[in-house]
Amino acid sequence: MRRDELRLILEQVRAGELDIEEAASRIAAEPVSDLGFAHLDHHRELRKDLPEVVYCESKPVGTVGPIARNLAERSTGNIILTRASEEVFREVAEFLPEAEYHPLARLIVVRREERVPVGKVVVVSGGTADIPVAEEAALVAELSGNRVQRLFDVGVAGVHRLLSHMEVFHHANVVVVVAGMEGALASLVGGLVACPVVAVPTSVGYGASFGGLAALLTMLNSCAPGVAVVNIDNGFGAGYLAHLINQAAARERT
Amino acid sequence: MRRDELRLILEQVRAGELDIEEAASRIAAEPVSDLGFAHLDHHRELRKDLPEVVYCESKPVGTVGPIARNLAERSTGNIILTRASEEVFREVAEFLPEAEYHPLARLIVVRREERVPVGKVVVVSGGTADIPVAEEAALVAELSGNRVQRLFDVGVAGVHRLLSHMEVFHHANVVVVVAGMEGALASLVGGLVACPVVAVPTSVGYGASFGGLAALLTMLNSCAPGVAVVNIDNGFGAGYLAHLINQAAARERT
Amino acid sequence: MRRDELRLILEQVRAGELDIEEAASRIAAEPVSDLGFAHLDHHRELRKDLPEVVYCESKPVGTVGPIARNLAERSTGNIILTRASEEVFREVAEFLPEAEYHPLARLIVVRREERVPVGKVVVVSGGTADIPVAEEAALVAELSGNRVQRLFDVGVAGVHRLLSHMEVFHHANVVVVVAGMEGALASLVGGLVACPVVAVPTSVGYGASFGGLAALLTMLNSCAPGVAVVNIDNGFGAGYLAHLINQAAARERT
Amino acid sequence: MRRDELRLILEQVRAGELDIEEAASRIAAEPVSDLGFAHLDHHRELRKDLPEVVYCESKPVGTVGPIARNLAERSTGNIILTRASEEVFREVAEFLPEAEYHPLARLIVVRREERVPVGKVVVVSGGTADIPVAEEAALVAELSGNRVQRLFDVGVAGVHRLLSHMEVFHHANVVVVVAGMEGALASLVGGLVACPVVAVPTSVGYGASFGGLAALLTMLNSCAPGVAVVNIDNGFGAGYLAHLINQAAARERT
Amino acid sequence: MRRDELRLILEQVRAGELDIEEAASRIAAEPVSDLGFAHLDHHRELRKDLPEVVYCESKPVGTVGPIARNLAERSTGNIILTRASEEVFREVAEFLPEAEYHPLARLIVVRREERVPVGKVVVVSGGTADIPVAEEAALVAELSGNRVQRLFDVGVAGVHRLLSHMEVFHHANVVVVVAGMEGALASLVGGLVACPVVAVPTSVGYGASFGGLAALLTMLNSCAPGVAVVNIDNGFGAGYLAHLINQAAARERT
Amino acid sequence: MRRDELRLILEQVRAGELDIEEAASRIAAEPVSDLGFAHLDHHRELRKDLPEVVYCESKPVGTVGPIARNLAERSTGNIILTRASEEVFREVAEFLPEAEYHPLARLIVVRREERVPVGKVVVVSGGTADIPVAEEAALVAELSGNRVQRLFDVGVAGVHRLLSHMEVFHHANVVVVVAGMEGALASLVGGLVACPVVAVPTSVGYGASFGGLAALLTMLNSCAPGVAVVNIDNGFGAGYLAHLINQAAARERT
Amino acid sequence: MRRDELRLILEQVRAGELDIEEAASRIAAEPVSDLGFAHLDHHRELRKDLPEVVYCESKPVGTVGPIARNLAERSTGNIILTRASEEVFREVAEFLPEAEYHPLARLIVVRREERVPVGKVVVVSGGTADIPVAEEAALVAELSGNRVQRLFDVGVAGVHRLLSHMEVFHHANVVVVVAGMEGALASLVGGLVACPVVAVPTSVGYGASFGGLAALLTMLNSCAPGVAVVNIDNGFGAGYLAHLINQAAARERT
Amino acid sequence: MRRDELRLILEQVRAGELDIEEAASRIAAEPVSDLGFAHLDHHRELRKDLPEVVYCESKPVGTVGPIARNLAERSTGNIILTRASEEVFREVAEFLPEAEYHPLARLIVVRREERVPVGKVVVVSGGTADIPVAEEAALVAELSGNRVQRLFDVGVAGVHRLLSHMEVFHHANVVVVVAGMEGALASLVGGLVACPVVAVPTSVGYGASFGGLAALLTMLNSCAPGVAVVNIDNGFGAGYLAHLINQAAARERT
């Protein structure tokens, strides 16, 4: 309930058009969405700029298609479906033939508006095997209206690969670092750039990588300040966070 | 080596004032700080706004005092010493009598310039036991020139404490959430605000909290997007990251 | 051996109808079921109200059908088979054609008596992916004769979803909270209701959820009192526990 | 804000005594405590029967005394301070001379009302070293108005110790099982009684007990249904949960 | 090289029939089997009573058959192949048609001598799902010449099942306890019998059983003395150990 | 209750000297110690040969002395107090001046009978730092009436130290292997001897030994059959188990 | 950029042939590859002796073939593709028909030069199941130009197997020890040889081997000095490291 | 027993001077040191160049002094005592007044021969807090006769610190990298140098460093080949390993 809706109820009470008990009930009926969100105009403002997002992994067969169509009917913005298999894509495409599939990033995108990309997000990945997660982050950020620059396969085992591309980081508002195995790239980048770094450990590796735990711990213990970490393989989360940081910073310059 | 220094060397070469071998040696002498940093003007620009920072925990007795004096002589900005015991403070105070000690946050601050705080950083803590880490984050952000608002002791066990203070989050550019035990506060806040959330798990708890591991995993698995995590008890890191995000966003409005 | 059976033996001894050695042997023959259970009248009273339960997961192919028929012959109450695949259902249905299958909850139910549901158990789930476990808990409680109310998909990422349905918790005797990922919902609910909360972590999640460990630790460290935890994905255990708590409390009001 | 307060505001609006803007502001001012709690009458009803509780472990020196006095001034019920050292007790006793200290359970109790104990809670412990945690649970339950029966030092290494005391469990509404080392007692008791079992793993043990982890895992994996688990060494939580379960069940009989 | 072979060489040297260099080389040629085993007569004596054993799990396709035939040609005793799939059995049966397959225990047995079983080994299992591992232990002990008594499905959730069969343990020289989930059965049995207990945790369970870790820790922390533990699911190891203990003890009585 | 006591009651019933209700009550009064132990004659026979044992570690100050005196009054055998500090020893010595203290093994021994040691137990340790645990095992076995031979400081880093003492293992009925760090000694010994090996991991080590976890895992995964494991640092348990195995085997030869 | 290239630029500046701004830009353009690598002549010298290596495991279908052809065109040395399935081999063989496949070691080798093997690398494995990893290490070392001697299936369970082949270690410059299960072989070998030992834990095992963790911890805690560890199953890494150590040592003698 | 000793015995047998039984016993008496070590001439050659080493940490008070004096009497080389407290130093100094103490590295050194350092070992550390472990490695290598160059405080957070000192690695035969926190320095160095890298994780850090586990996993998962890892904080082990590698390589050039 928005504040103007509340005012309307109060006016109806004053005008005797609305019973007091009824008014009290209406106000009590949705207490939080009402007042909680009245505080959050700025929040929703931002939110309506965001693509709609569906996490597909654990959804039962046959449910994602209808969900996607629903979203398409209720909103006019872009729609992203994450962790989508090709099978899910076929299911979605039946309902929304304009859907496109990014197999590497396992994303389904229903593109319905074109935004002028602003600011600058850099997405860096350690090895080629980390690219699916990196690409997921990059695409999510792009679809949310951010200018994204990719710098892939620049792991610390050959540090010159990163150092010879330092110009990529010029004027970046945020850098997303995606790395598996030992995940050291986040610390290295964190020591080289002045903007926030969002680090994404990946499950790439074997043996004592323990499914991404090694890279996760590396990034959490980064000796470079300015590095924050999201869950293992969480490319979507990193792209979304990069979007939030970049949008705020970009307003100034665009 | 800055670009103007490089230019000077080249001019001296052109003018015949400098031998080619000598010039090559000077350039080669500090290859990276030289050229690496030539790419990072923006970086240093930001950096020079930052207080100097010393991590005290593992430094041997008698070393922190001289380090602090050194910093004080070399720069004119604020100096922060983190994880400082009272004993270390006495050591520093001998060299820098103007140093002030914040026992709760275990910070020593040498305040030498007053910045006009800009933007808005909100620091939220779950329980009273989390306050030392929260206060460390808040003070670091304040000393770096950010406007900081505190909201302490609003853990999820009594969710109305948080919900009745939603106005605190108005126009926040970043929220730092500090919580131990189960650390659920980060997810809750992440679902309520539209700006980035920096989550700090603390080691507060016992038994199956395993020194902060429980809160750390909670925060990494947050079902609310827009939450990034730093190391357990890393108040400094969160404050620094909040500073980076807030500064970029704040330029627009101030 | 019940106390009356013991008395009968003693009477036969007194009447000289039973040899002392023989009497001693009979008494010694089942020492515990005998005397242990003589203490537990109340126990069995409750127990005979319970459905019979079979855990199917590790049973070899071809064994569950006969077990189920056996149970059906020996008792007249409801029968529940947990963690049953569709294949196991077909096996059971050959023996007991009246069996019904709940694929989401992976339960087979042989409904043979209708109980008037008493009291109130609320089952809450965080996300849609947690519904199978939540539904297992809800069905087990319902089949045991409890009134169950479901509130699904109210995770902490959108706290208003929970808060706008607080009336669900009115007069609940116990709340079962089912949540994966970071599992923070248990703490939130624990802080809002006055009855016991049974928390069920699920294995829903990825990366640092480590198969449900993150949610498990969250729930064990809940800062809200009144929260107890069962094993990861243990919907049956939660439903059974809710039944025990609700039955005792419900007697008063029904 | 209670519903009658809301009604009053609405009546003032209708009577023209209150400006609409002002009314909207008052309603928005404390949205949740207002409406959230209007749903929770039953909750508070129970709550006011509870002792006030303070967790002392991480509170800074000098803070617990004033907190305790505050509580004593604001309420008339019993006050419990958990995990209190003797030093904290002396601090509290200065403010509240009537405070009593239970060193084994590390509890400070300010007894200000005598409740007639109802129902039956049984607290069982495995070894003598588990008694402090067991005693914490028992005292918390007693102070909350429950009849408590203790059965200590009946670990599974000598199962006859438990089996020869089965009469203790007669008419129990809930059993709290406290055990360290391998924690097997919870499963054993869970298989013998018909009421809910609250299991408390303790950190008693060495080597591969890993600070209570072994007992915790044992209890979570209990093959006996009806067992729920709280955090390692969480005697308070178990006592509180036992109170909630016992109060509901006891109303019927008392 | 046995001591008599060494003596023979030395006699040939004394007799001048053997060159000193040649003698030194022969002695050096198999230094350890030589002298190490000269110390171990008793060892081999026992060993030659043992069936030959082949662990099949990680052997490449096509290798187990020839290995088994080899063993059959080189020795006359029983042969056991552990962790054998049905596919491996077919492979072995081509070479040794007399081989028999125990699918539950995943053992292939080539029975070529019948031993009079001596002593008494009791194998106890917690649930039906633990029977494959229990059966592996029982069969290995039987084939090695031990009298084995089985007591399956007597987990602690219904302690009377075990207690009403205490006579099974009469005159047992060793008890093997096989249990998954929380593994509490080992402690219970350890408290009831006076002979050594070999505990085998199984990977039966889900969630926080972490592949048998819970049962393993339970057994290692057993509060009953006289319990030793082997690896998770290691039925063979337990059967072999029971054989060693029982043989030594049984000699006295048979 | 022994079988003869049961018979007496039955005879009194037959003779009309005892009321049936009274008889039923007496039988029910101690159901398990009664009948459970009637099955365990052999058990107690062995048990009465054992020293009495008290685990001191978690006992509160002032309790061990009285416990020890109690034991001394109730039995005539040896008494062992494990994990005893020197302070506990002084406490015990006040009550039992004949008590002797073994500071290395942290054992207090009250020696009141001298047994002729039988059989042969070998206790092997890896490094000098493992000796306290090894000595605890050796002393416990000696005091229980077993002949014990020690072989200390023969870790695998210098395998010749072990191999040049192979004669120690002649006619051993059981070998206890005590080792920290990587704990490889258990596998090595397991491959060299034909009797059961009881392996004791110790917490000796640093870094990735994780308090004995490394040695524990090593021993559980031993590729040599015939190795069973007890808890980290559990010298008492190993000595007790060695006693059980050795006594049974030794009867034959002594 | 090499130093002579830098000199050339400086000469052009002095000669007025090159604008200062242009010169500064050229120098800044590749700062690190320039100077960083000027320091690393020795590095590359060695490197060009190495085979080219491709890690296949996580590469998408259809990418490895072209990569291999590319390498074959760009260099003239041997090419190794690690962790290659047979399917990948067929893909590569289409492009490079001379490729050979080692299914055990899962290596594809494109042999294009024959090196005279120098020095001596010994590769030892514990069990037959460890041979694939051991063979990977051995082949990598051989293809890099080292003389390799294999000693397989000499685990500690039968220590004489190793001790009777001590001559293998004569003049070895480095020993690679490959072992799963408890991994004790590394310590044993470490105590017997005087050259560096590279230890490779394998994931061979079950239960408490936890995917190779047990062997990894064993090797890290080796009480024998001179042992260094690589990741679980990292045969390539061990072979490469052995190559580096052997080449340096071998130069002296060949 | 060396081969010439064996020959002597055989000659005495041939000459009739030695009884056959006596000869057989002498040969059997030390089977392994005999033949095992006959194979290891090269080993001992190296070994006698090594300082004697004593690990002090777990040695009881009063034992290290006599051990050190013993060593001093039996050999003429340098003696190193690792992990020595100042208290232990005072104890040693009583026996060996020439002993010197390195408090940072916690080493006691008894210097009795001066070796000409050969080859080149580089020891690199990440932060100042890692210096004690780095210094331990460096001193051990120096005392063993290696030329050592230190490069401390060059962690990845400021990569230019390392890159501007690349000349340090010229002609290094082995690099020891010591780093705590996230330990990324090992990967970085591994990618820059061509010689073997010995990586030492340290326990420096807090929170999710878990006592050095984070750095350990980082180093084990290094994406740079040529990196081998020793235990957490094992400076001695790294120094010793560096010595072995450097000595072999250095012989060529010196």
Side-chain angles (χ1 to χ4, degrees), chain G residues 13 24 97 207 221:
Chain G
V13 166
N221 285 284

Side-chain angles (χ1 to χ4, degrees), chain H residues 12 27 36 40 55 57 92 104 111 129 135 157 175 183 198-199 217 237:
Chain H
Q12 290 175 322
I27 292 171
L40 289 172
Y55 177 84
E57 194 137 280
V92 170
L104 206 59
R111 216 180 280 262
E135 196 56 31
V175 178
V198 178
L217 293 183

Side-chain angles (χ1 to χ4, degrees), chain A residues 157 163 182 187 191 208-209 218 221 223, chain H residues 157 163 182 187 191 208-209 218 221 223:
Chain A
L163 293 178
E182 92 281 59
S187 296
S209 93
T218 301
N221 285 284
C223 54
Chain H
L163 293 178
E182 94 279 61
S187 296
S209 93
T218 301
N221 285 284
C223 54

